[in-house]
Amino acid sequence: MKALFILFSFICAMAFNETFAQQFNPEKTRIKTKGLISPPINTYLLCVVDIDYDGDMDFLGASDFGQVFLLNSGTSQLPSFESPKKRPFGLKGMMNATYADIDNDGDLDAFGMKFSAVGTFKSLSLWSENTGTKSTPVFDKAVPFGFGMSENFFYKNFVDIDGDGDLDLIGVYRTGQNIKESRVAMQENVGTAKTPEFSQVEFAPLGLIENSTAYIYFSDIDGDGDFDAYYTAYTEETGKNVFIQWNEGNSTNAEFSDPHVGFTGMLISYGDNIFSDINGDGIVENIIANDIGLFYQIMIVSKEEE
């Protein structure tokens, strides 16, 4: 009976998502606060993943005390988050951690960086292999990653941007201490899903912005089957806001638009906003952490005017 319910829920979500994609118009889309899912946490959200493979999304981020983890003790439809835990699953020795199954072994590995010396910006790209299981992760000692990955990525994001079945690297690249020197860069995975090998660094790839001090993320915001890019940044015209670069190509040939300001009614996080499907409806939500608490907002598509 439970299996039939899950199948029915999946079919309904797929149908709802297809309708959303057909009706989606960024100029007519509203956003509405759904509710508080955690009290104030003083945490910068960096990654939303199902770290323990229990079917719901968990939060991993950073605070003044280093890496933190917020376990979703609710469900995929009704999320509820516990208090932040420091150094999750033994993870230590790296900054700006993100998570991906880089070796295609069925569990999530951790990636980050650290400064190689006090008073310098020279960094090391690190990874910590999950030596536990997918449901009970245990992260090994962080070591240099290799496989052709540049040492100069301040923040990494792994995404299959070209739809070839392996994870490519897109992130913020810095070579000096001046934050204004940060650039968006990509290293395509020219190896395989099990044995990655990263190509030469390419700047402002696929029409993405060239210079950015912000972390850049990817999610299928409009539900059309390909990844859109977004980031949180400050401009004199808009103040702090979310900017979206729509994928005007497709899942195998990405081509990103110029940046567009996010939706009317969006709350802005004191760190970065995250788009992820936190309530299991097949559509991404806007996730925000601020001094009030941890919220998510749903997107509401408006029908075309008659």
Short mmCIF file of all heavy atoms in Angstrom, two decimals, residues 204-250:
data_model
loop_
_atom_site.label_atom_id
_atom_site.label_comp_id
_atom_site.label_asym_id
_atom_site.label_seq_id
_atom_site.Cartn_x
_atom_site.Cartn_y
_atom_site.Cartn_z
N ALA A 204 33.81 32.72 -17.58
CA ALA A 204 32.50 33.15 -18.08
C ALA A 204 31.93 32.14 -19.07
O ALA A 204 31.54 32.49 -20.18
CB ALA A 204 32.60 34.53 -18.71
N PRO A 205 31.86 30.87 -18.69
CA PRO A 205 31.41 29.84 -19.63
C PRO A 205 29.92 29.92 -19.91
O PRO A 205 29.12 30.32 -19.06
CB PRO A 205 31.75 28.54 -18.88
CG PRO A 205 31.59 28.91 -17.44
CD PRO A 205 32.10 30.32 -17.34
N LEU A 206 29.53 29.56 -21.10
CA LEU A 206 28.12 29.34 -21.46
C LEU A 206 27.26 30.57 -21.26
O LEU A 206 26.04 30.48 -21.08
CB LEU A 206 27.54 28.17 -20.65
CG LEU A 206 28.36 26.87 -20.65
CD1 LEU A 206 27.76 25.87 -19.67
CD2 LEU A 206 28.45 26.29 -22.04
N GLY A 207 27.88 31.76 -21.28
CA GLY A 207 27.13 33.00 -21.11
C GLY A 207 26.95 33.43 -19.67
O GLY A 207 26.26 34.42 -19.39
N LEU A 208 27.54 32.70 -18.69
CA LEU A 208 27.46 33.09 -17.29
C LEU A 208 28.21 34.41 -17.06
O LEU A 208 29.11 34.76 -17.83
CB LEU A 208 28.03 32.00 -16.39
CG LEU A 208 27.24 30.69 -16.34
CD1 LEU A 208 28.04 29.62 -15.62
CD2 LEU A 208 25.88 30.90 -15.66
N ILE A 209 27.86 35.11 -16.00
CA ILE A 209 28.56 36.35 -15.69
C ILE A 209 30.05 36.09 -15.54
O ILE A 209 30.47 35.00 -15.16
CB ILE A 209 28.00 36.99 -14.41
CG1 ILE A 209 28.06 35.99 -13.24
CG2 ILE A 209 26.60 37.52 -14.63
CD1 ILE A 209 27.71 36.62 -11.91
N GLU A 210 30.84 37.11 -15.81
CA GLU A 210 32.30 36.92 -15.76
C GLU A 210 32.87 37.19 -14.38
O GLU A 210 33.61 36.37 -13.83
CB GLU A 210 32.99 37.83 -16.78
CG GLU A 210 34.50 37.65 -16.79
CD GLU A 210 35.18 38.40 -17.91
OE1 GLU A 210 34.48 39.09 -18.67
OE2 GLU A 210 36.42 38.29 -18.03
N ASN A 211 32.52 38.33 -13.80
CA ASN A 211 33.06 38.71 -12.50
C ASN A 211 31.99 38.59 -11.44
O ASN A 211 30.88 39.10 -11.61
CB ASN A 211 33.60 40.14 -12.53
CG ASN A 211 34.74 40.29 -13.51
OD1 ASN A 211 34.55 40.78 -14.62
ND2 ASN A 211 35.93 39.87 -13.13
N SER A 212 32.30 37.91 -10.36
CA SER A 212 31.32 37.74 -9.29
C SER A 212 32.02 37.47 -7.98
O SER A 212 32.94 36.67 -7.91
CB SER A 212 30.37 36.58 -9.59
OG SER A 212 29.47 36.37 -8.52
N THR A 213 31.58 38.17 -6.94
CA THR A 213 32.05 37.87 -5.59
C THR A 213 31.09 36.92 -4.90
O THR A 213 31.32 36.51 -3.76
CB THR A 213 32.16 39.16 -4.77
OG1 THR A 213 30.88 39.79 -4.70
CG2 THR A 213 33.14 40.13 -5.42
N ALA A 214 30.00 36.58 -5.58
CA ALA A 214 28.96 35.73 -4.98
C ALA A 214 29.15 34.28 -5.40
O ALA A 214 29.72 33.98 -6.45
CB ALA A 214 27.58 36.23 -5.41
N TYR A 215 28.63 33.38 -4.56
CA TYR A 215 28.58 31.97 -4.94
C TYR A 215 27.50 31.80 -6.00
O TYR A 215 26.42 32.37 -5.89
CB TYR A 215 28.24 31.10 -3.73
CG TYR A 215 29.26 31.12 -2.63
CD1 TYR A 215 28.96 30.62 -1.37
CD2 TYR A 215 30.54 31.64 -2.84
CE1 TYR A 215 29.90 30.63 -0.34
CE2 TYR A 215 31.47 31.65 -1.82
CZ TYR A 215 31.14 31.15 -0.57
OH TYR A 215 32.07 31.17 0.44
N ILE A 216 27.77 31.00 -7.01
CA ILE A 216 26.80 30.77 -8.06
C ILE A 216 26.25 29.35 -7.93
O ILE A 216 26.99 28.41 -7.67
CB ILE A 216 27.42 31.03 -9.46
CG1 ILE A 216 26.33 31.06 -10.52
CG2 ILE A 216 28.52 30.04 -9.80
CD1 ILE A 216 26.79 31.72 -11.82
N TYR A 217 24.94 29.22 -8.04
CA TYR A 217 24.25 27.95 -7.84
C TYR A 217 23.45 27.59 -9.09
O TYR A 217 23.22 28.43 -9.97
CB TYR A 217 23.28 28.05 -6.66
CG TYR A 217 23.90 28.37 -5.33
CD1 TYR A 217 24.06 29.69 -4.92
CD2 TYR A 217 24.31 27.37 -4.47
CE1 TYR A 217 24.62 29.99 -3.68
CE2 TYR A 217 24.87 27.66 -3.23
CZ TYR A 217 25.02 28.97 -2.85
OH TYR A 217 25.57 29.26 -1.62
N PHE A 218 22.99 26.33 -9.11
CA PHE A 218 22.22 25.84 -10.26
C PHE A 218 21.01 25.05 -9.77
O PHE A 218 21.11 24.24 -8.85
CB PHE A 218 23.08 24.97 -11.17
CG PHE A 218 24.23 25.71 -11.78
CD1 PHE A 218 25.44 25.83 -11.12
CD2 PHE A 218 24.08 26.33 -13.02
CE1 PHE A 218 26.49 26.55 -11.67
CE2 PHE A 218 25.13 27.05 -13.58
CZ PHE A 218 26.33 27.16 -12.90
N SER A 219 19.86 25.30 -10.42
CA SER A 219 18.64 24.56 -10.11
C SER A 219 17.68 24.76 -11.27
O SER A 219 17.77 25.75 -12.01
CB SER A 219 18.02 25.09 -8.81
OG SER A 219 16.92 24.30 -8.42
N ASP A 220 16.77 23.82 -11.46
CA ASP A 220 15.77 23.96 -12.52
C ASP A 220 14.61 24.78 -11.96
O ASP A 220 13.60 24.24 -11.54
CB ASP A 220 15.30 22.58 -12.98
CG ASP A 220 14.34 22.66 -14.17
OD1 ASP A 220 14.16 23.78 -14.71
OD2 ASP A 220 13.77 21.63 -14.53
N ILE A 221 14.76 26.09 -11.97
CA ILE A 221 13.79 26.98 -11.32
C ILE A 221 12.46 26.99 -12.06
O ILE A 221 11.39 27.02 -11.44
CB ILE A 221 14.37 28.41 -11.22
CG1 ILE A 221 15.66 28.39 -10.37
CG2 ILE A 221 13.36 29.37 -10.61
CD1 ILE A 221 16.40 29.71 -10.35
N ASP A 222 12.49 26.98 -13.39
CA ASP A 222 11.27 27.08 -14.17
C ASP A 222 10.69 25.73 -14.58
O ASP A 222 9.70 25.65 -15.32
CB ASP A 222 11.47 27.96 -15.40
CG ASP A 222 12.68 27.52 -16.24
OD1 ASP A 222 13.25 26.45 -15.95
OD2 ASP A 222 13.04 28.24 -17.19
N GLY A 223 11.30 24.62 -14.12
CA GLY A 223 10.74 23.30 -14.34
C GLY A 223 10.73 22.83 -15.78
O GLY A 223 9.91 21.98 -16.15
N ASP A 224 11.67 23.32 -16.61
CA ASP A 224 11.68 22.92 -18.02
C ASP A 224 12.70 21.84 -18.34
O ASP A 224 12.93 21.52 -19.49
CB ASP A 224 11.89 24.14 -18.92
CG ASP A 224 13.27 24.78 -18.72
OD1 ASP A 224 13.98 24.39 -17.75
OD2 ASP A 224 13.64 25.68 -19.50
N GLY A 225 13.34 21.28 -17.31
CA GLY A 225 14.22 20.13 -17.52
C GLY A 225 15.69 20.46 -17.66
O GLY A 225 16.50 19.56 -17.89
N ASP A 226 16.09 21.74 -17.54
CA ASP A 226 17.51 22.09 -17.57
C ASP A 226 17.85 22.99 -16.40
O ASP A 226 16.98 23.51 -15.71
CB ASP A 226 17.90 22.73 -18.91
CG ASP A 226 17.05 23.95 -19.25
OD1 ASP A 226 16.75 24.76 -18.34
OD2 ASP A 226 16.68 24.11 -20.42
N PHE A 227 19.14 23.15 -16.14
CA PHE A 227 19.60 23.94 -15.00
C PHE A 227 19.64 25.42 -15.32
O PHE A 227 20.20 25.82 -16.35
CB PHE A 227 21.00 23.48 -14.56
CG PHE A 227 21.03 22.15 -13.89
CD1 PHE A 227 21.56 21.04 -14.55
CD2 PHE A 227 20.52 21.98 -12.62
CE1 PHE A 227 21.60 19.80 -13.94
CE2 PHE A 227 20.54 20.75 -12.00
CZ PHE A 227 21.08 19.65 -12.66
N ASP A 228 19.05 26.24 -14.45
CA ASP A 228 19.22 27.69 -14.48
C ASP A 228 20.28 28.07 -13.45
O ASP A 228 20.53 27.33 -12.49
CB ASP A 228 17.90 28.38 -14.17
CG ASP A 228 16.77 27.89 -15.07
OD1 ASP A 228 16.87 28.08 -16.28
OD2 ASP A 228 15.80 27.29 -14.55
N ALA A 229 20.91 29.21 -13.64
CA ALA A 229 21.95 29.69 -12.72
C ALA A 229 21.40 30.86 -11.90
O ALA A 229 20.59 31.65 -12.40
CB ALA A 229 23.19 30.12 -13.48
N TYR A 230 21.84 30.99 -10.65
CA TYR A 230 21.41 32.11 -9.83
C TYR A 230 22.45 32.42 -8.77
O TYR A 230 23.29 31.59 -8.43
CB TYR A 230 20.05 31.83 -9.18
CG TYR A 230 20.05 30.70 -8.18
CD1 TYR A 230 20.16 30.95 -6.81
CD2 TYR A 230 19.94 29.38 -8.58
CE1 TYR A 230 20.16 29.93 -5.88
CE2 TYR A 230 19.94 28.34 -7.66
CZ TYR A 230 20.04 28.62 -6.32
OH TYR A 230 20.06 27.60 -5.41
N TYR A 231 22.39 33.64 -8.27
CA TYR A 231 23.32 34.06 -7.24
C TYR A 231 22.71 35.23 -6.47
O TYR A 231 21.79 35.91 -6.95
CB TYR A 231 24.68 34.46 -7.83
CG TYR A 231 24.60 35.54 -8.90
CD1 TYR A 231 24.77 36.88 -8.57
CD2 TYR A 231 24.36 35.21 -10.23
CE1 TYR A 231 24.71 37.87 -9.54
CE2 TYR A 231 24.27 36.19 -11.21
CZ TYR A 231 24.45 37.51 -10.86
OH TYR A 231 24.36 38.50 -11.82
N THR A 232 23.19 35.46 -5.25
CA THR A 232 22.75 36.57 -4.41
C THR A 232 23.84 37.62 -4.40
O THR A 232 25.00 37.31 -4.14
CB THR A 232 22.46 36.09 -2.98
OG1 THR A 232 21.56 34.98 -3.02
CG2 THR A 232 21.84 37.20 -2.15
N ALA A 233 23.48 38.86 -4.71
CA ALA A 233 24.49 39.91 -4.82
C ALA A 233 23.89 41.27 -4.46
O ALA A 233 22.67 41.43 -4.38
CB ALA A 233 25.09 39.93 -6.22
N TYR A 234 24.77 42.24 -4.28
CA TYR A 234 24.36 43.60 -3.96
C TYR A 234 24.69 44.51 -5.13
O TYR A 234 25.80 44.47 -5.67
CB TYR A 234 25.08 44.10 -2.70
CG TYR A 234 24.73 45.53 -2.33
CD1 TYR A 234 23.65 45.79 -1.48
CD2 TYR A 234 25.47 46.59 -2.83
CE1 TYR A 234 23.31 47.10 -1.15
CE2 TYR A 234 25.13 47.90 -2.50
CZ TYR A 234 24.07 48.15 -1.67
OH TYR A 234 23.73 49.44 -1.35
N THR A 235 23.73 45.35 -5.52
CA THR A 235 23.98 46.41 -6.49
C THR A 235 23.38 47.69 -5.95
O THR A 235 22.46 47.67 -5.12
CB THR A 235 23.36 46.11 -7.87
OG1 THR A 235 21.92 46.19 -7.77
CG2 THR A 235 23.76 44.73 -8.37
N GLU A 236 23.90 48.84 -6.40
CA GLU A 236 23.37 50.12 -5.94
C GLU A 236 21.92 50.29 -6.37
O GLU A 236 21.12 50.94 -5.68
CB GLU A 236 24.23 51.26 -6.49
CG GLU A 236 25.63 51.31 -5.89
CD GLU A 236 26.40 52.53 -6.36
OE1 GLU A 236 25.83 53.31 -7.16
OE2 GLU A 236 27.56 52.70 -5.93
N GLU A 237 21.55 49.71 -7.50
CA GLU A 237 20.19 49.87 -8.03
C GLU A 237 19.18 49.02 -7.28
O GLU A 237 18.06 49.47 -6.99
CB GLU A 237 20.18 49.49 -9.52
CG GLU A 237 18.81 49.65 -10.17
CD GLU A 237 18.83 49.28 -11.64
OE1 GLU A 237 19.93 48.96 -12.17
OE2 GLU A 237 17.75 49.30 -12.26
N THR A 238 19.54 47.78 -6.93
CA THR A 238 18.57 46.85 -6.34
C THR A 238 18.80 46.58 -4.87
O THR A 238 17.95 45.99 -4.21
CB THR A 238 18.60 45.50 -7.08
OG1 THR A 238 19.86 44.85 -6.84
CG2 THR A 238 18.40 45.70 -8.58
N GLY A 239 19.95 46.99 -4.32
CA GLY A 239 20.33 46.53 -3.00
C GLY A 239 20.70 45.06 -3.08
O GLY A 239 21.04 44.54 -4.15
N LYS A 240 20.63 44.35 -1.95
CA LYS A 240 20.91 42.92 -1.98
C LYS A 240 19.72 42.19 -2.58
O LYS A 240 18.58 42.37 -2.14
CB LYS A 240 21.19 42.40 -0.57
CG LYS A 240 21.69 40.96 -0.55
CD LYS A 240 22.08 40.51 0.84
CE LYS A 240 22.63 39.09 0.80
NZ LYS A 240 23.01 38.60 2.15
N ASN A 241 19.99 41.34 -3.56
CA ASN A 241 18.90 40.67 -4.24
C ASN A 241 19.40 39.39 -4.88
O ASN A 241 20.61 39.13 -4.93
CB ASN A 241 18.30 41.59 -5.32
CG ASN A 241 16.80 41.44 -5.43
OD1 ASN A 241 16.27 40.33 -5.35
ND2 ASN A 241 16.11 42.55 -5.61
N VAL A 242 18.45 38.59 -5.35
CA VAL A 242 18.76 37.37 -6.07
C VAL A 242 18.69 37.66 -7.57
O VAL A 242 17.74 38.31 -8.04
CB VAL A 242 17.77 36.24 -5.71
CG1 VAL A 242 18.01 35.01 -6.59
CG2 VAL A 242 17.93 35.87 -4.25
N PHE A 243 19.68 37.18 -8.30
CA PHE A 243 19.72 37.35 -9.74
C PHE A 243 19.72 35.98 -10.40
O PHE A 243 20.43 35.07 -9.97
CB PHE A 243 20.96 38.15 -10.17
CG PHE A 243 20.97 39.56 -9.64
CD1 PHE A 243 21.45 39.83 -8.37
CD2 PHE A 243 20.47 40.60 -10.41
CE1 PHE A 243 21.45 41.12 -7.87
CE2 PHE A 243 20.46 41.89 -9.92
CZ PHE A 243 20.95 42.16 -8.64
N ILE A 244 18.92 35.84 -11.45
CA ILE A 244 18.75 34.56 -12.14
C ILE A 244 19.22 34.71 -13.58
O ILE A 244 18.90 35.68 -14.27
CB ILE A 244 17.29 34.10 -12.12
CG1 ILE A 244 16.79 33.96 -10.68
CG2 ILE A 244 17.12 32.79 -12.87
CD1 ILE A 244 15.30 33.69 -10.56
N GLN A 245 19.99 33.73 -14.05
CA GLN A 245 20.34 33.62 -15.46
C GLN A 245 19.63 32.38 -16.00
O GLN A 245 19.99 31.25 -15.70
CB GLN A 245 21.86 33.50 -15.64
CG GLN A 245 22.60 34.78 -15.29
CD GLN A 245 24.07 34.74 -15.72
OE1 GLN A 245 24.94 34.47 -14.91
NE2 GLN A 245 24.32 34.99 -17.00
N TRP A 246 18.59 32.62 -16.80
CA TRP A 246 17.78 31.53 -17.31
C TRP A 246 18.54 30.75 -18.37
O TRP A 246 19.26 31.32 -19.19
CB TRP A 246 16.48 32.07 -17.91
CG TRP A 246 15.65 32.83 -16.93
CD1 TRP A 246 15.48 34.19 -16.86
CD2 TRP A 246 14.91 32.28 -15.84
NE1 TRP A 246 14.67 34.51 -15.80
CE2 TRP A 246 14.30 33.37 -15.16
CE3 TRP A 246 14.69 30.98 -15.38
CZ2 TRP A 246 13.49 33.19 -14.05
CZ3 TRP A 246 13.87 30.81 -14.27
CH2 TRP A 246 13.29 31.89 -13.62
N ASN A 247 18.40 29.43 -18.34
CA ASN A 247 19.01 28.58 -19.36
C ASN A 247 18.12 28.62 -20.60
O ASN A 247 17.05 28.01 -20.62
CB ASN A 247 19.16 27.16 -18.84
CG ASN A 247 19.98 26.28 -19.77
OD1 ASN A 247 20.20 26.62 -20.94
ND2 ASN A 247 20.43 25.15 -19.26
N GLU A 248 18.56 29.32 -21.62
CA GLU A 248 17.79 29.44 -22.86
C GLU A 248 18.17 28.36 -23.86
O GLU A 248 17.64 28.33 -24.98
CB GLU A 248 18.00 30.83 -23.46
CG GLU A 248 17.48 31.94 -22.53
CD GLU A 248 17.76 33.33 -23.03
OE1 GLU A 248 18.72 33.50 -23.84
OE2 GLU A 248 17.04 34.27 -22.62
N GLY A 249 19.10 27.49 -23.47
CA GLY A 249 19.44 26.33 -24.28
C GLY A 249 18.64 25.13 -23.84
O GLY A 249 17.41 25.18 -23.72
N ASN A 250 19.34 24.04 -23.50
CA ASN A 250 18.66 22.84 -23.01
C ASN A 250 19.59 22.08 -22.09
O ASN A 250 20.67 22.57 -21.74
CB ASN A 250 18.18 21.97 -24.18
CG ASN A 250 19.29 21.64 -25.16
OD1 ASN A 250 20.37 21.19 -24.76
ND2 ASN A 250 19.05 21.88 -26.45
#
